Amino acid sequence: MNKVVLPSRGRYTITLQLAAVMCCVTACGGTPDPRQRETMMHQEASRQIGGRVHLTGAEQRLDAHLRKLKEQEMAAAQFPPAFHFFKARPLIHKSPIFSLLQRMPKGAALHIHSSSLVSVDWLVKNITYRPHCYICFTWGRSVRFVFSSRRPFPTWDCLYWQLLKTLRANMVDPTGFDYSLMQNLTLFTEDPDTTYPSQDAVWERFEMAFVAIAGLVTYAPVFKDFLYKGLEQLFHDNIMYLELRTGLSSTYELDGSIHDKAWSLRTYQEVTQQFVAEHPSFLGARLIISVHRLLSVSDVKAAVKEAIQMQKDFPEFVAGFDLVGREDRGRPLWFFREALSLPAELGVTLPYFFHAGETDHEGTEVDENILDALLFNTTRIGHGYALAHHPLAKELSRNGNVAVEVCPISNQVLKLVSDLRNHPAAVLMSEGHPMVVSSDDPSLFGTTGLSYDFYEVYVGIGGLRANLGTLKELAINSIRYSSLPSQLKERGLAMWQRTWDKFISENSYSNP
Ligand SMILES: *[C@@H]1O[C@H](CO)[C@@H](O)[C@H](O)[C@H]1NC(C)=O
Ligand SMILES: *[C@@H]1O[C@H](CO)[C@@H](O)[C@H](O)[C@H]1NC(C)=O
Ligand SMILES: *[C@@H]1O[C@H](CO)[C@@H](O)[C@H](O)[C@H]1NC(C)=O
Ligand SMILES: [Zn+2]
């Protein structure tokens, strides 16, 4: 078994060679020295993510195979990363690279939100078919669900609740109906450009889907199955560890009684422990408590205090705190400075995992979130879409090993970028910036696990330059930049290396 070799992050000593090249170009005249050219190419390539990762012979064979496949996909009439993911998905399903990426041990998923952890297919086909499930259709052409032992009372938005079972029994086309329910719970559509003409339009549907999902997954018995199913879907995608952002809402029972957040927290932990007991090659999960950035300062203060307490009560399970919701319409981090300074003032540590720079509005207050996140000592940066435009922030995050959680499909569906080859993470990748890949809201985007996002990063953002070393470093990064304590990181890396070696030996057959 070979050891995990982490590339060093020291300064580069290129200045001298570069000076020599320049001098030669001017002094010698004519064609530049091809050897110098090669040195330059090599030095530049070595800076990228994975550029200093050692590949074994078997890994080099697989790398060459993957490169050939990538060249073929780039030459094809339809290059998936150039298309909206909703259109690219059927193409990606046919890609042999994608099927390799599915089998590849990808390490950890560090940026996923709890409501969108499990595929809508399962939500509709399994959850909405359970007994006592009521549905209502709102004014805004959306749906609400609740499980109840008797017909729920009307609300301003929901005048009439119907038992789903009865409704379906009287339907001509229950399959079509189920499909429309799925449409309510995901953003997926055949024609995304017409359906979502603007960021506002897509975010409105996005927030609406979360509300619709909430009634299903906060029913206590479903809540447990949901988490278990979520872990199972990650496990099947060869992911071994999860850091889940969650608001920890209260849950309810059929008779309307309510369990508090502490119950949800305990249940998360119990279900995770059960899953790990049944899947010993899964390392576990931890939570990042997240609240909406539309809250008031005093609400966020209360949430920070609560998170501090939860971390005290569940130190191995609660990783830290984050603010969620659309940055462009929500309040910037600096607005919450009083609340976010509380842990430091109280002399306790509450690690932050801030979403920051999920915007294309350069120079706005929202754009300042990246520097503010670093100022508040964030452990990682969620998205960091705007990071490439912030030289100081980039330097600080690089030197401080503050990894960026890149979620390409999310950025594309939420309309920050259309052709993923133009994603700004391409710059970060070529510079070897600390980075991990994640899926943000897989069920809303019609994905599960991380393979789709890895595909976009490896084939689209990274281009032909991204190689097996890149994939290897990204997977290692996901453990290295996790919130796990160092001895668990070691264990995680060793577990990952074993599955990686197995993956390589099963896939590095020599190809014609
Ligand atoms: C629904 O999910 C549960 C738990 O995951 C499983 O036990 C059950 O068999 C599923 N039911 C259907 C109808 O798929
Ligand atoms: C949600 O489901 C309802 C009921 O089937 C349907 O009429 C409506 O068009 C769906 N909404 C969306 C956004 O798909
Ligand atoms: C961030 O870390 C620095 C250095 O450890 C510390 O002085 C500062 O108080 C921290 N800031 C916050 C807001 O926690
Ligand atoms: Zn997110």
Side-chain angles (χ1 to χ4, degrees):
M1 192 183 91
N2 54 357
K3 239 177 123 324
V4 175
V5 182
L6 300 178
S8 72
R9 301 221 165 266
R11 290 189 180 280
Y12 298 97
T13 50
I14 193 178
T15 340
L16 278 180
Q17 283 105 325
L18 200 57
V21 174
M22 296 306 198
C23 166
C24 181
V25 170
T26 47
C28 323
T31 315
D33 182 351
R35 275 170 321 182
Q36 289 285 16
R37 179 175 186 274
E38 199 176 313
T39 308
M40 279 169 74
M41 298 289 169
H42 181 76
Q43 280 184 331
E44 185 160 75
S46 77
R47 293 195 187 191
Q48 73 167 348
I49 293 180
R52 296 172 169 211
V53 167
H54 168 76
L55 295 184
T56 63
E59 286 172 339
Q60 284 171 22
R61 281 199 299 282
L62 178 58
D63 182 49
H65 177 53
L66 276 167
R67 188 185 166 94
K68 217 177 291 163
L69 293 175
K70 205 191 306 197
E71 280 167 347
Q72 282 163 14
E73 294 196 12
M74 283 177 157
Q78 294 181 306
F79 183 53
F83 289 86
H84 192 291
F85 175 70
F86 295 170
K87 293 187 173 156
R89 194 172 69 166
L91 300 172
I92 294 175
H93 284 163
K94 286 187 216 138
S95 158
I97 297 179
F98 178 67
S99 97
L100 261 159
L101 290 174
Q102 285 182 300
R103 278 174 275 145
M104 185 183 89
K106 288 170 283 291
L110 299 184
H111 186 137
I112 294 186
H113 297 271
S114 59
S115 316
S116 46
L117 179 63
V118 183
S119 64
V120 284
D121 214 54
W122 187 77
L123 288 181
V124 171
K125 295 285 186 217
N126 187 301
I127 304 297
T128 72
Y129 276 84
R130 297 186 184 196
H132 311 292
C133 187
Y134 284 86
I135 187 172
C136 98
F137 303 99
T138 68
W139 295 116
R141 282 178 32 94
S142 179
V143 293
R144 299 283 180 275
F145 301 96
V146 68
F147 287 87
S148 177
S149 47
R150 54 175 174 73
R151 188 183 303 282
F153 296 116
T155 62
W156 72 271
D157 198 22
C158 267
L159 289 184
Y160 182 57
W161 289 95
Q162 293 168 272
L163 198 55
L164 249 178
K165 192 172 171 206
T166 319
L167 185 68
R168 277 204 184 97
N170 296 322
M171 252 174 201
V172 193
D173 180 17
T175 313
F177 173 69
D178 282 355
Y179 184 73
S180 81
L181 292 187
M182 284 181 205
Q183 294 294 98
N184 274 275
L185 303 178
T186 170
L187 292 177
F188 197 85
T189 160
E190 245 117 80
D191 188 6
D193 299 325
T194 312
T195 314
Y196 310 119
S198 64
Q199 290 185 1
D200 285 346
V202 71
W203 270 92
E204 190 187 324
R205 269 292 314 282
F206 188 64
E207 304 269 0
M208 206 158 94
F210 277 113
V211 180
I213 293 169
L216 291 174
V217 302
T218 54
Y219 173 42
V222 168
F223 182 75
K224 294 181 187 175
D225 289 356
F226 178 79
L227 178 63
Y228 195 93
K229 189 77 187 173
L231 296 177
E232 201 172 71
Q233 290 186 347
L234 292 178
F235 185 72
H236 285 150
D237 195 45
N238 289 300
I239 290 156
M240 55 180 282
Y241 171 71
L242 165 69
E243 286 182 6
L244 187 67
R245 282 168 166 88
T246 175
L248 274 185
S249 42
S250 47
T251 56
Y252 67 94
E253 296 282 354
L254 268 192
D255 61 3
S257 59
I258 304 282
H259 301 290
D260 61 9
K261 289 180 184 180
W263 184 93
S264 309
L265 190 48
R266 274 197 311 276
T267 306
Y268 265 125
Q269 192 173 33
E270 280 162 19
V271 172
T272 304
Q273 283 166 349
Q274 185 199 342
F275 188 85
V276 170
E278 288 163 16
H279 305 80
S281 56
F282 195 78
L283 194 60
R286 303 182 93 201
L287 300 182
I288 296 168
I289 313 288
S290 348
V291 298
H292 207 284
R293 54 184 350 113
L294 285 174
L295 295 185
S296 66
V297 175
S298 60
D299 286 342
V300 172
K301 252 186 184 170
V304 166
K305 279 187 190 151
E306 195 177 47
I308 291 172
Q309 188 58 45
M310 285 173 173
Q311 220 208 3
K312 216 178 265 171
D313 296 342
F314 297 83
E316 341 68 54
F317 198 58
V318 172
F321 184 81
D322 185 16
L323 289 164
V324 298
R326 187 178 176 193
E327 275 183 74
D328 279 328
R329 287 287 181 277
R331 281 148 176 170
L333 290 174
W334 191 242
F335 176 83
F336 296 108
R337 57 193 177 279
E338 238 181 89
L340 302 178
S341 308
L342 265 181
E345 275 163 24
L346 297 171
V348 297
T349 31
L350 177 67
Y352 290 137
F353 298 84
F354 290 127
H355 278 73
E358 188 185 5
T359 182
D360 54 7
H361 291 301
E362 224 178 303
T364 60
E365 252 188 343
V366 173
D367 192 35
E368 291 167 3
N369 276 346
I370 288 201
L371 269 174
D372 286 332
L374 290 161
L375 209 51
F376 280 104
N377 299 329
T378 196
T379 303
R380 294 191 301 265
I381 296 173
H383 292 292
Y385 184 84
L387 184 66
H389 301 285
H390 291 268
L392 178 62
K394 216 163 75 167
E395 215 171 281
L396 292 171
S397 95
R398 185 188 185 103
N399 295 342
N401 277 323
V402 178
V404 182
E405 302 160 347
V406 175
C407 306
I409 294 172
S410 171
N411 297 152
Q412 191 191 45
V413 173
L414 296 175
K415 297 185 88 78
L416 288 174
V417 58
S418 51
D419 183 330
L420 279 171
R421 288 173 294 185
N422 299 329
H423 195 291
V427 176
L428 303 177
M429 283 180 78
S430 67
E431 295 172 345
H433 199 90
M435 179 179 144
V436 297
V437 178
S438 204
S439 53
D440 205 11
D441 296 290
S443 76
L444 272 105
F445 307 138
T447 70
T448 53
L450 297 184
S451 294
Y452 294 92
D453 287 280
F454 261 87
Y455 176 88
E456 301 286 15
V457 165
Y458 174 66
V459 178
I461 302 178
L464 203 51
R465 195 173 42 197
N467 57 23
L468 190 67
T470 314
L471 294 170
K472 197 173 172 184
E473 184 164 331
L474 286 170
I476 293 171
N477 279 354
S478 70
I479 297 162
R480 171 160 59 161
Y481 296 121
S482 74
S483 72
L484 289 167
S486 56
Q487 74 279 16
L488 270 177
K489 272 187 198 175
E490 296 292 320
R491 216 184 114 213
L493 281 171
M495 278 164 69
W496 173 83
Q497 183 75 64
R498 275 195 300 277
T499 49
W500 176 267
D501 290 343
K502 185 160 173 283
F503 164 74
I504 295 296
S505 71
E506 285 168 1
N507 290 285
S508 73
Y509 39 79
S510 46
N511 291 281

